[in-house]
Amino acid sequence: MNAQRTMTAAVLVEPGKFEVKQVAIPRIGPNDVLVKVSQIGICGTDIHMFHGRYAADALPLIPGHEFCGTIDAVGSDVTHLSVGTTVVADINIGCGNCYWCRRNEVLNCAEVSQIGIGRDGAFAEYVAVPARLVIPAPAEVAPEVLALTEPVGCVVRAAKKAGIGVGDSVVVLGAGPIGNLHVQMMRLVGAAPIIVFDLSTSRCEAALAAGADVIVTDPAKLKDAVLAATDGVGADFVIESVGNARLYSTAFDLIRKGGHVSFFGITGPQDTVDLPILGTVLHENGLKGSVAAMGEDMYQALKLLTHQRFDVKAFTGAVFPLAEIQEAFESLPKRSNDLKTQLRVS
Ligand SMILES: NC(=O)c1ccc[n+]([C@@H]2O[C@H](COP(=O)([O-])OP(=O)(O)OC[C@H]3O[C@@H](n4cnc5c(N)ncnc54)[C@H](O)[C@@H]3O)[C@@H](O)[C@H]2O)c1
Ligand SMILES: [Zn+2]
Ligand SMILES: [Zn+2]
């Protein structure tokens, strides 16, 4: 199918260099669908790949995983999806049968690969997706909103994995794009108070607009601010959303006795954190990892976005045509007020 047809795609040929060119439209197998991409977000992972800090050995590659679009073709064995349906997709392709796949911990599957990271993704007119990972979406929700499903899914999973709920005090370390989504998610689960720490004043102001109760930009004032906001006991939960090993240590210093740290920010592979074992045992402290958005997380994120539970204004203002992807990436450092940059494909 489509063997002779070509499409426009942004191929990351080497770190720092996209080539927008004609490539073959991906072939789909009997259990796949071909999605015609509408809109797609640029994620921190894409930025790391662009700078050669992540998955450099996978190049040349078409990155891109925060996409929405419409079904253009279905494989011969796909009976539950039809051409024309608006969709988003879970990007985590596991074997579907192993212990971890059954538990929706697909990134632990020995065969896992991720669309746009380990295989060609959606900075292109078309992307191939296994049908079982395709999620139909309401056509009336704007593409710039649907393209936020994957990042929102990540904060949905983190909230669930950590078990954060009504009246829990939460510190979010880092008010980048994802930190700001954590803040909105914390409002949705009823967390209070929500304390946000970021070295950047403008990022903290964005967090305030997103629903933070307390913002801190001075590291020297962080602990006192957390104690002041939590009746002197410390936070029930701290979410590390920077990816800084030292901040992981800080996180353990900010939780109350019996508090939990959400391991979310991505550090280097060799980074470690020192934990006092006895104190952790005696206080019943905990840590909870969370990675990506898999299965149900994506459906839940889509529902929240469909019903406007997230204020997306700060995430939908910077949109470039696919042809200008190089400029979109290169100008990112100058546009730190844009919490998200998206590409319009069709
Ligand atoms: N676990 C997951 O599922 C998952 C999903 C998406 C992103 N992430 C990770 O979450 C983290 C946040 O993502 P993002 O896209 O918002 O990242 P980002 O780099 O765009 O933003 C990070 C923020 O941290 C702030 N910051 C940097 N150093 C700091 C410090 N020492 N103290 C306080 N603030 C500091 C920056 O000012 C910035 O606002 C990254 O590590 C990313 O890789 C994890
Ligand atoms: Zn992403
Ligand atoms: Zn598996």
Side-chain angles (χ1 to χ4, degrees):
M1 188 184 293
N2 297 319
Q4 308 307 319
R5 291 166 63 206
T6 63
M7 66 173 182
T8 305
V11 183
L12 186 61
V13 290
E14 60 188 62
K17 188 173 175 197
F18 277 104
E19 276 178 11
V20 179
K21 57 183 180 185
Q22 291 298 303
V23 303
I25 291 177
R27 284 173 166 277
I28 57 168
N31 294 303
D32 297 332
V33 307
L34 189 66
V35 175
K36 186 174 197 306
V37 179
S38 305
Q39 189 112 341
I40 173 152
I42 296 175
C43 164
T45 306
D46 303 317
I47 298 168
H48 285 310
M49 287 168 72
F50 182 72
H51 292 293
R53 293 191 293 259
Y54 188 67
D57 52 358
L59 307 187
L61 183 86
I62 304 169
H65 59 269
E66 298 182 356
F67 62 95
C68 64
T70 52
I71 296 180
D72 186 76
V74 300
S76 54
D77 290 352
V78 177
T79 54
H80 71 292
L81 294 166
S82 9
V83 170
T85 302
T86 301
V87 295
V88 296
D90 179 345
I91 63 157
N92 305 288
I93 306 174
C95 75
N97 303 311
C98 74
Y99 178 81
W100 289 283
C101 283
R102 292 199 310 270
R103 296 176 60 92
N104 195 28
E105 296 173 16
V106 179
L107 260 69
N108 290 327
C109 171
E111 294 175 24
V112 71
S113 78
Q114 291 176 292
I115 295 171
I117 300 170
R119 62 167 70 197
D120 280 341
F123 289 157
E125 283 182 279
Y126 298 94
V127 60
V129 186
R132 65 189 162 83
L133 298 184
V134 166
I135 302 168
E140 60 275 17
V141 180
E144 63 269 25
V145 177
L146 291 179
L148 294 170
T149 308
E150 196 270 348
V152 167
C154 292
V155 300
V156 165
R157 187 176 183 91
K160 290 189 297 176
K161 282 280 180 185
I164 303 171
V166 176
D168 287 334
S169 57
V170 178
V171 179
V172 179
L173 300 177
I178 300 288
N180 269 278
L181 291 178
H182 280 302
V183 171
Q184 294 201 40
M185 188 66 207
M186 291 301 100
R187 294 291 291 209
L188 290 175
V189 300
I194 301 166
I195 303 143
V196 174
F197 172 59
D198 196 296
L199 301 173
S200 149
T201 305
S202 63
R203 286 289 166 87
C204 276
E205 279 162 5
L208 210 51
D213 299 291
V214 178
I215 53 172
V216 184
T217 53
D218 181 352
K221 295 188 177 154
L222 177 57
K223 183 150 186 189
D224 283 348
V226 172
L227 290 174
T230 58
D231 300 324
V233 298
D236 294 316
F237 294 91
V238 177
I239 302 171
E240 206 285 356
S241 187
V242 176
N244 178 306
R246 281 210 318 280
L247 276 183
Y248 272 97
S249 296
T250 302
F252 282 96
D253 195 37
L254 298 176
I255 51 170
R256 66 167 170 85
K257 292 176 182 171
H260 288 69
V261 175
S262 168
F263 275 50
F264 186 90
I266 307 283
T267 67
Q270 312 303 335
D271 286 329
T272 58
V273 59
D274 270 341
L275 271 187
I277 297 170
L278 186 60
T280 304
V281 174
L282 297 184
H283 302 323
E284 300 183 319
N285 296 345
L287 67 85
K288 202 73 197 169
S290 179
V291 67
M294 306 175 218
E296 185 72 359
D297 313 324
M298 288 290 291
Y299 286 84
Q300 290 165 327
L302 178 59
K303 257 193 269 186
L304 293 174
L305 285 165
T306 298
H307 296 286
Q308 294 157 30
R309 293 302 198 271
F310 277 81
D311 182 351
V312 299
K313 270 194 310 293
F315 295 85
T316 55
V319 183
F320 289 70
L322 179 65
E324 290 171 22
I325 188 169
Q326 183 75 19
E327 186 194 331
F329 272 78
E330 286 179 357
S331 62
L332 282 167
K334 289 182 277 182
R335 297 187 289 105
S336 60
N337 283 340
D338 298 332
L339 285 178
K340 173 67 68 185
T341 298
Q342 294 183 336
L343 300 165
R344 182 84 185 149
V345 182
S346 61

